[in-house]
Amino acid sequence: MQNIKQYLDDCSEAYYNGNPIITDAVFDALADACGYNSVGAKQHEDVEKHYFQMYSLQKFYEGEDMKKPLEGIKDIAHSLKLDGAAIDILYIDGKLSRVLTRGDGIEGKLVTDKFVGSTFIPQTIKQMGIVQITGELMAPKHIENARNYAAGSLNLKDITEFRTRALEFFAYGVQPNIFETYVEDMKQLRRLGFKTAHGEYELDKTYPCDGLVYRVNDNKLFNEMGYTAKSPRGAYALKERNEGADTKLLDVIWQTSKSGRVTPVAILEEVVIEDAKITRATLNNVAFIEALDIQIGDMVHVIRAGSIIPCITHKVDG
């Protein structure tokens, strides 16, 4: 399993540096398979510490008999779990001061230059003091690999190109809290000029989402519940596991995209997933194949990432 964990470290670093190499669904499946729980990537240059740490959400899956962390609490807010690139935006006395990528949650890469003067976020807000707003930079799901498109955009050197990309920012957090409840905080962010993950109905019809977020609405109780090293105790993400199937790897071919990128494609024994006949699936890259030790003739597990893209998640032990 060490090879897979090293590969996931590399995938994590690539993602948070703006160059994703596998999909979120494949990453989650591999992480579950080998008990990998590292989150984020340590940055190496142009980094600063988040004013408030950016935590990840504990994940639960539909249909699994596990006790959810908020059982017994009646006042729960929920919103769509957005599948984009997480950033934090810092305002000081109402003026845009800094924008960081999520990085490892403690430090992030500076991308302020891409947002100063842009229309993606308000340049000033009517809120004094130090305010950190967190959320996701999103690309519409009609764009192929929308999440990678959003994350990769933050790594562009050409600011003009960045600002012409099909991107939107949706906020889902503000620190320190402004009002007594999360719902009121989100309403305030909308009044300040932000789009938010909470209250934007049917957002999943336009942008990639991968579940629901449940959060204690009472901000005082949420803060009293505290955090683990990586996650708040007062919120979690509820996701659906992608339906998958096992099949045989018959061959591997190499495919060149319009951008010139060459990727390995698995030729599979036909299998039906979610009423779709699957005979091909992405193998991502050579490192992915080596990490999973996949060879022609092996049985592999296949899912449809986002219910669309066939992906191999792991080799099935015989």
Side-chain angles (χ1 to χ4, degrees):
M1 284 298 187
Q2 185 58 42
N3 287 340
I4 297 178
K5 290 181 179 179
Q6 181 58 56
Y7 179 71
L8 290 173
D9 281 341
D10 295 340
C11 291
S12 184
E13 182 167 1
Y15 171 72
Y16 289 113
N17 282 323
N19 298 300
I21 55 179
I22 61 173
T23 66
D24 187 32
V26 173
F27 184 95
D28 286 347
L30 284 177
D32 286 346
C34 68
Y36 179 89
N37 59 10
S38 296
V39 177
K42 199 74 173 177
Q43 308 291 336
H44 300 292
E45 57 182 16
D46 299 327
V47 301
E48 289 189 10
K49 189 174 181 180
H50 295 289
Y51 191 79
F52 293 98
Q53 182 174 338
M54 291 183 69
Y55 290 88
S56 59
L57 290 172
Q58 188 176 7
K59 298 173 186 175
F60 291 84
Y61 291 89
E62 290 277 10
E64 295 187 359
D65 188 20
M66 296 178 65
K67 184 177 180 180
K68 306 300 186 296
L70 306 184
E71 288 183 6
I73 299 175
K74 294 182 179 180
D75 190 9
I76 303 293
H78 66 272
S79 58
L80 288 166
K81 186 178 183 301
L82 304 179
D83 193 16
I87 59 175
D88 92 53
I89 307 161
L90 197 70
Y91 291 88
I92 299 177
D93 289 336
K95 296 180 180 179
L96 175 62
S97 174
R98 187 186 69 183
V99 183
L100 297 178
T101 64
R102 186 192 183 284
D104 64 1
I106 297 173
E107 294 178 332
K109 183 178 179 180
L110 281 165
V111 290
T112 313
D113 57 336
K114 294 178 175 63
F115 291 89
V116 172
S118 77
T119 58
F120 293 130
I121 60 174
Q123 299 297 295
T124 60
I125 60 174
K126 293 181 180 180
Q127 198 75 39
M128 298 303 289
I130 297 176
V131 178
Q132 178 175 302
I133 296 169
T134 53
E136 302 269 320
L137 189 68
M138 304 287 294
K141 62 183 182 182
H142 68 75
I143 293 176
E144 185 177 1
N145 297 321
R147 184 194 191 197
N148 293 3
Y149 177 92
S153 297
L154 292 169
N155 208 41
L156 289 171
K157 294 182 179 179
D158 188 335
I159 295 175
T160 301
E161 181 183 353
F162 173 80
R163 292 179 181 174
T164 58
R165 287 209 163 189
L167 299 167
E168 289 278 3
F169 175 75
F170 292 89
Y172 52 64
V174 57
Q175 292 171 284
N177 303 127
I178 302 171
F179 290 99
E180 292 183 357
T181 69
Y182 175 77
V183 171
E184 285 299 322
D185 278 350
M186 292 302 100
K187 289 180 180 178
Q188 177 66 4
L189 289 187
R190 290 194 290 276
R191 287 191 287 265
L192 293 175
F194 292 93
K195 294 182 178 180
T196 64
H198 180 275
E200 297 281 350
Y201 300 105
E202 299 186 338
L203 192 62
D204 55 329
K205 291 186 176 181
T206 305
Y207 294 94
C209 301
D210 61 343
L212 289 172
V213 176
Y214 291 81
R215 184 197 188 278
V216 173
N217 190 32
D218 185 301
N219 284 328
K220 182 180 179 182
L221 177 57
F222 177 87
N223 292 323
E224 287 175 349
M225 291 176 73
Y227 298 81
T228 67
K230 296 170 183 167
S231 305
R233 293 189 174 93
Y236 69 92
L238 184 65
K239 305 178 72 172
E240 290 185 9
R241 286 205 184 276
N242 293 91
E243 181 182 337
D246 298 340
T247 188
K248 183 182 286 187
L249 175 63
L250 301 177
D251 198 2
V252 176
I253 63 173
W254 296 87
Q255 182 173 285
T256 304
S257 68
K258 292 180 181 179
S259 64
R261 182 181 178 185
V262 180
T263 55
V265 177
I267 306 301
L268 305 169
E269 193 171 89
E270 185 178 293
V271 65
V272 177
I273 303 174
E274 298 173 347
D275 297 325
K277 293 181 179 179
I278 307 298
T279 57
R280 295 185 173 208
T282 180
L283 278 167
N284 300 293
N285 48 56
V286 173
F288 178 84
I289 297 172
E290 292 176 347
L292 272 65
D293 190 26
I294 297 175
Q295 300 179 29
I296 292 172
D298 284 341
M299 294 295 293
V300 293
H301 188 75
V302 184
I303 64 170
R304 296 179 70 205
S307 297
I308 299 173
I309 303 171
C311 299
I312 288 175
T313 61
H314 60 274
K315 180 168 72 172
V316 179
D317 293 332

